[in-house]
Amino acid sequence: MSAEWILLSYQDSKMLGQCLDNRAKRILFYPACGKMHAGQMVDIEVSVESANVLIPMKAMVVARRTRSRGVSNPKGVYLEVIKQDAMRYQRLCELADGEWTPSKKRSFPRLRIEIPAHYLLSKHRYRGKTFDISAQGMFIRTNRPLPEIGQRMMLWLKTSRFWFPIRLEVEVRWLDLVDDRRGMGVICLAPKRSLKKLKALEHRLRKRLQL
């Protein structure tokens, strides 16, 4: 379920707006080629530094400009965002046009890490892995059946082979159905003892990674 992500970092919304090359076709230009080649499918995360935003999307490389044609036409790569991520591309357009302002920094910052997980759905237990985690919630990647948005269920985090899993009641807040990203975002509700364990786990991981 792991995928390699390419970070596309834009300084501000003005720079982003200049790189939304063809909005009708969901084309995004990035002023760097790297090792990407035409026809390649890539998993990207679009970062706008001044706006505290990071949006994951899937796209195909449709063209490359390998030579700079002046300041206004630098070398770079053209990416066509897939239809399933049209709403995310639209969100970038709204950000560039000043029609959307991201919320303030999360009260519980996410930590990017994989931890084995199991969840109970229709009396069956299914496997997955965390993609990111916080003291309040997490995103679970899985190629198994997914619940509905708003559904509550039990989830277990296997943090160590030497300790019992952390057992949590969670509520599904959103789903991602795109291949290589497929999964669900959940918020943790109970029990209090497990919520304390989750908070302690997040603190230990963050300290270990010196974040």
Side-chain angles (χ1 to χ4, degrees), residues 154-179:
M154 299 308 302
L155 182 143
W156 293 263
L157 291 179
K158 185 65 175 177
T159 60
S160 170
R161 61 179 178 174
F162 302 110
W163 300 97
F164 290 110
I166 298 177
R167 180 177 178 271
L168 295 158
E169 180 184 354
V170 302
E171 180 179 305
V172 180
R173 290 299 179 88
W174 59 282
L175 300 175
D176 193 331
L177 304 179
V178 176
D179 290 342

Side-chain angles (χ1 to χ4, degrees), residues 17-32:
Q18 294 171 345
C19 292
L20 294 170
D21 186 73
N22 187 325
R23 298 191 181 194
K25 295 184 178 180
R26 303 180 306 281
I27 303 297
L28 178 66
F29 176 77
Y30 189 67

Side-chain angles (χ1 to χ4, degrees), residues 130-166:
T130 63
F131 178 69
D132 58 44
I133 189 171
S134 76
Q136 187 183 44
M138 65 196 74
F139 183 78
I140 303 293
R141 282 186 170 175
T142 180
N143 55 12
R144 306 295 183 176
L146 291 172
E148 297 180 355
I149 294 176
Q151 185 171 345
R152 293 190 178 189
M153 62 183 186
M154 299 308 302
L155 182 143
W156 293 263
L157 291 179
K158 185 65 175 177
T159 60
S160 170
R161 61 179 178 174
F162 302 110
W163 300 97
F164 290 110
I166 298 177

Side-chain angles (χ1 to χ4, degrees), residues 22-187:
N22 187 325
R23 298 191 181 194
K25 295 184 178 180
R26 303 180 306 281
I27 303 297
L28 178 66
F29 176 77
Y30 189 67
C33 292
K35 297 181 180 180
M36 290 183 280
H37 56 81
Q40 179 183 3
M41 293 297 299
V42 292
D43 291 298
I44 61 175
E45 285 186 326
V46 178
S47 169
V48 181
E49 297 175 11
S50 64
N52 183 38
V53 66
L54 185 65
I55 300 178
M57 295 186 289
K58 196 177 188 72
M60 182 174 69
V61 180
V62 292
R64 284 164 44 98
R65 184 191 294 153
T66 57
R67 293 185 180 181
S68 174
R69 300 174 184 173
V71 178
S72 60
N73 292 286
K75 64 180 180 179
V77 60
Y78 292 87
L79 301 153
E80 181 181 356
V81 175
I82 63 174
K83 289 183 178 180
Q84 294 96 317
D85 282 335
M87 293 299 293
R88 298 188 180 196
Y89 184 89
Q90 179 61 30
R91 183 52 61 92
L92 290 180
C93 295
E94 293 170 356
L95 175 61
D97 296 340
E99 298 175 356
W100 172 64
T101 301
S103 58
K104 296 180 180 179
K105 190 175 181 180
R106 293 176 180 270
S107 299
F108 298 93
R110 294 295 175 97
L111 178 66
R112 183 70 58 83
I113 194 166
E114 288 190 0
I115 298 174
H118 289 81
Y119 59 96
L120 186 65
L121 181 63
S122 299
K123 299 182 179 180
H124 295 282
R125 286 183 63 154
Y126 297 105
R127 291 182 298 176
K129 285 185 178 180
T130 63
F131 178 69
D132 58 44
I133 189 171
S134 76
Q136 187 183 44
M138 65 196 74
F139 183 78
I140 303 293
R141 282 186 170 175
T142 180
N143 55 12
R144 306 295 183 176
L146 291 172
E148 297 180 355
I149 294 176
Q151 185 171 345
R152 293 190 178 189
M153 62 183 186
M154 299 308 302
L155 182 143
W156 293 263
L157 291 179
K158 185 65 175 177
T159 60
S160 170
R161 61 179 178 174
F162 302 110
W163 300 97
F164 290 110
I166 298 177
R167 180 177 178 271
L168 295 158
E169 180 184 354
V170 302
E171 180 179 305
V172 180
R173 290 299 179 88
W174 59 282
L175 300 175
D176 193 331
L177 304 179
V178 176
D179 290 342
D180 298 327
R181 288 202 322 251
R182 192 173 184 277
M184 53 189 161
V186 303
I187 184 171

